[in-house]
Amino acid sequence: MTTVQIGDRELEFGSDELVRLRDSSEHLNDPETLRKRLDEDGYLFIRGFHDEALVQAAREDVLTHLDDEGLLHPNEPAEEALVHPDWTADEFDMSGSSWTHYPNLETLINGDETMSFFQRLFDAKPFVLDRKRGRAKATGYFTGFHVDRIFMGRGTEDLYTAWRPIGDCPVEMGPLVLCPGSHDHDRLRETYGQLDVDVDRVDPFFSRNPYDVIDTIGGPLATADFRAGDALIFDTYMLHGSLTNRTDRFRISVDTRYQSIEDPVDPRWVGADPVGQYNLDDWGPEDLTPIAELREQWGL
């Protein structure tokens, strides 16, 4: 078994606490089965969802931009994606106006094959939220456990996140980790899942401790060694985070959201220059209610 890390906690990949994601690749063209699995598990893990050549082209776009921004190691080839020794932030955010640097990511997100898949899955014309999230996660960093609903909850509940690594992403590089079934945890949905980060001014992470999540919500957690072209699609009530990137390379990924065009849309996430959240960049830790206070009130 491989030892992985989430923050300062270690887990064994393949143990009772951290298992492999259920693979739905063989059902790619069977929307009825995929819908059942989304209901049961809260997610779909599909290998080869995207053409690997397109993912590689998108990766080259990203690395060219990172190199131009001076984020890559100056003495190593750009394609290695080694973090510059002077880079100290947790990630490089590729959201917002910088998306013009990534034409192949745009094709990956809303190209014909992707939109045809969601057309079949929804049995309705799909719509992808305009605000796209791209991330280059640096060495030593991870994302705490959260649900996407608290960031984009002013539209339909039938909204799904698609996360893709832009390049191979083994567990050592810090891919996503899910808490399968948490999308149907009633108490989690009706308390934490109803927060709106713009209104409630709360620390958005339910927990940064995987064992706390297992004890409170249930386990095991699940992840995978991802390859270029793989995709992870999940309910926006799904509790998830990431493993820690324990390599010296950027973990590059993109996450976008899909829904039926007929359903209501969160206005913060659409338009020519969508804001996503209004206030998070202006608030410091002292402005946010500690999640521990709310969890005590909720009994979670």
Side-chain angles (χ1 to χ4, degrees):
M1 288 189 286
T2 302
T3 300
V4 300
Q5 194 170 330
I6 300 177
D8 59 358
R9 303 301 177 102
E10 291 188 341
L11 302 93
E12 296 294 330
F13 183 39
S15 69
D16 292 340
E17 289 82 21
L18 184 62
V19 301
R20 286 170 174 77
L21 291 164
R22 185 183 188 188
D23 192 338
S24 293
S25 307
E26 63 180 306
H27 303 293
L28 179 61
N29 296 308
D30 182 359
E32 183 177 353
T33 296
L34 294 180
R35 286 191 286 268
K36 287 180 180 177
R37 289 201 171 186
L38 270 176
D39 287 341
E40 293 170 3
D41 301 334
Y43 73 89
L44 301 171
F45 174 48
I46 301 176
R47 291 203 182 274
F49 183 83
H50 294 293
D51 181 77
E52 188 174 349
L54 175 59
V55 177
Q56 182 57 39
R59 183 175 176 83
E60 291 172 3
D61 288 346
V62 173
L63 292 177
T64 296
H65 190 204
L66 294 183
D67 202 21
D68 290 343
E69 293 288 322
L71 273 64
L72 300 182
H73 197 296
N75 301 325
E76 300 292 340
E79 58 265 26
E80 296 295 329
L82 265 68
V83 179
H84 194 291
D86 295 334
W87 178 257
T88 58
D90 60 345
E91 69 179 24
F92 179 72
D93 186 357
M94 298 186 288
S95 308
S97 60
S98 67
W99 209 261
T100 56
H101 295 285
Y102 313 118
N104 287 297
L105 281 183
E106 191 76 43
T107 301
L108 185 148
I109 290 164
N110 56 23
D112 290 344
E113 289 191 7
T114 300
M115 300 308 280
S116 293
F117 169 83
F118 283 102
Q119 172 91 36
R120 298 192 302 271
L121 185 67
F122 297 153
D123 195 21
K125 185 177 181 180
F127 175 74
V128 56
L129 300 191
D130 293 318
R131 184 163 177 83
K132 310 169 185 73
R133 301 305 304 267
R135 312 168 195 273
K137 185 74 75 172
T139 305
Y141 290 97
F142 74 106
T143 301
F145 287 91
H146 63 286
V147 302
D148 286 350
R149 181 74 188 167
I150 66 174
F151 299 100
M152 52 197 73
R154 300 182 190 179
T156 179
E157 289 200 339
D158 294 324
L159 179 69
Y160 296 91
T161 293
W163 182 88
R164 300 84 142 190
I166 307 305
D168 292 344
C169 186
V171 290
E172 294 85 0
M173 194 168 278
L176 288 200
V177 55
L178 306 185
C179 181
S182 57
H183 68 300
D184 270 343
H185 190 287
D186 289 341
R187 190 62 179 149
L188 185 70
R189 285 178 65 107
E190 68 191 18
T191 56
Y192 172 72
Q194 299 307 309
L195 294 176
D196 182 318
V197 293
D198 276 339
V199 174
D200 296 304
R201 296 195 178 199
V202 61
D203 175 359
F205 295 119
F206 179 81
S207 180
R208 293 171 173 82
N209 180 344
Y211 293 105
D212 171 38
V213 170
I214 292 169
D215 290 343
T216 306
I217 306 302
L221 305 179
T223 190
D225 285 304
F226 285 80
R227 300 191 293 265
D230 295 348
L232 183 59
I233 299 161
F234 53 93
D235 192 300
T236 52
Y237 280 108
M238 168 64 67
L239 194 63
H240 66 285
S242 81
L243 304 181
T244 299
N245 181 1
R246 302 178 77 175
T247 74
D248 55 1
R249 291 163 169 76
F250 279 109
R251 186 216 76 186
I252 301 169
S253 64
V254 60
D255 48 288
T256 46
R257 280 84 198 173
Y258 299 83
Q259 63 172 80
S260 167
I261 200 169
E262 300 171 0
D263 291 340
V265 180
D266 189 323
R268 297 168 297 177
W269 286 75
V270 293
D273 190 19
V275 296
Q277 275 69 53
Y278 293 108
N279 301 309
L280 288 184
D281 291 340
D282 300 325
W283 295 342
E286 69 279 359
D287 300 313
L288 302 178
T289 301
I291 193 68
E293 292 184 10
L294 296 178
R295 287 184 57 180
E296 185 175 1
Q297 295 175 22
W298 301 332
L300 279 177

